Amino acid sequence: MKIRKVNKNKMKIPPKWLVKEYLALDLPMKFRSSDINENFSDQNTKNQFLKKATDFNLLVRLKRGLYFAPEPDITINTWAVDDYHSRLILLNSAFRYLDIDHVFYCLSADRYTDYSPERVIPVLKEEYEDIDQKHIDHFVYDFSGAKKLKKEIFETVFTFQILTKEDSALLLLSTYSQREVEAGKNILKDIELNSELRAALAGLGYEGYSEGNFKSIELKRPLFVQEWIEEMGFENLKERARK
């Protein structure tokens, strides 16, 4: 599966000074902003580098003051693709370097349904101190397994991990958003619902799938999803799910 290149006028090619400062880092590396003070003459120049390098896909901001700089052969591939795939490649590189067990909810949803999320959303098996929801939208969920999906840009092949259909459906349904719920239910039509999955669906409020059993699902949603749920009212949304 090839990742399509964008039109040359839409490519995000960093200015030379930015590339020069990026290449001066000990790549690849995770670092705090204070770790590179000696590379810059003043605080303003350093802050400008951090902001612009993030904008041009040279750095990934993990949390406030904490960054990851991937290898040059990773970043160069991102300049010729759209923002979605650029972000996907960078986050995958960061998580692999940090040895974080992860899959991509967004790829799973796109692979199994007609629904394509607008943003890159990984799923992490557990909370990590170095990853902040404010900078990287993600689920925290102990997914049961993963499948490999390969994408190619130029002559480089990237391997991503995606959710199983069962876990994809559960996470889509856990958002209670209309498009996601519809996509999740469409996945359920294509798989055999065992008693454990039915109990998990009941735990999310989808009692129509239940056989009388109930299993509480432990997960943490991306911040923008959680804020929407709180705004709409969690019990109201679960009541809607029962219909």
Side-chain angles (χ1 to χ4, degrees), residues 176 229-230 232-242:
Y176 303 104
I229 289 175
E230 292 172 0
M232 298 298 293
F234 188 60
E235 291 306 317
N236 291 335
L237 293 171
K238 287 190 73 173
E239 184 64 32
R240 185 191 302 176
R242 295 188 182 100

Side-chain angles (χ1 to χ4, degrees), residues 33-179:
S33 58
S34 57
D35 295 338
I36 59 171
N37 284 343
E38 62 184 26
N39 294 34
F40 300 92
S41 58
D42 57 78
Q43 185 72 20
N44 288 336
T45 304
K46 184 189 74 172
N47 289 342
Q48 184 181 19
F49 164 74
L50 292 172
K51 183 181 184 309
K52 291 292 184 181
T54 303
D55 292 343
F56 279 96
N57 302 322
L58 292 171
L59 301 179
V60 176
R61 191 176 186 184
L62 303 174
K63 61 187 295 185
R64 183 177 181 180
L66 186 65
Y67 297 83
F68 171 72
E71 305 94 324
D73 60 341
I74 297 290
T75 57
I76 289 172
N77 280 290
T78 70
W79 301 344
V81 301
D82 59 80
D83 285 337
Y84 173 87
H85 284 97
S86 176
R87 179 77 168 165
L88 180 68
I89 291 169
L90 291 174
L91 286 182
N92 195 53
S93 172
F95 293 149
R96 286 180 180 276
Y97 178 84
L98 298 170
D99 197 24
I100 292 176
D101 199 357
H102 68 286
V103 291
F104 286 97
Y105 160 92
C106 50
L107 286 177
S108 306
D110 183 60
R111 185 74 168 173
Y112 302 136
T113 72
D114 292 331
Y115 166 64
S116 298
E118 290 84 7
R119 64 183 89 192
V120 177
I121 305 178
V123 184
L124 310 182
K125 274 216 167 188
E126 58 185 89
E127 289 274 25
Y128 290 89
E129 184 181 354
D130 289 344
I131 308 297
D132 192 326
Q133 284 277 6
K134 292 181 180 179
H135 300 293
I136 299 179
D137 295 314
H138 64 280
F139 283 92
V140 179
Y141 171 68
D142 188 14
F143 49 89
S144 59
K147 297 182 178 181
K148 291 183 179 180
L149 179 65
K150 293 185 178 182
K151 290 189 174 234
E152 180 182 354
I153 178 67
F154 299 119
E155 295 183 356
T156 304
V157 177
F158 295 95
T159 301
F160 304 97
Q161 297 276 90
I162 66 173
L163 293 161
T164 62
K165 285 187 175 182
E166 291 80 0
D167 283 338
S168 298
L170 283 174
L171 289 188
L172 283 162
L173 290 165
S174 78
T175 68
Y176 303 104
S177 183
Q178 184 175 349
R179 287 197 311 152

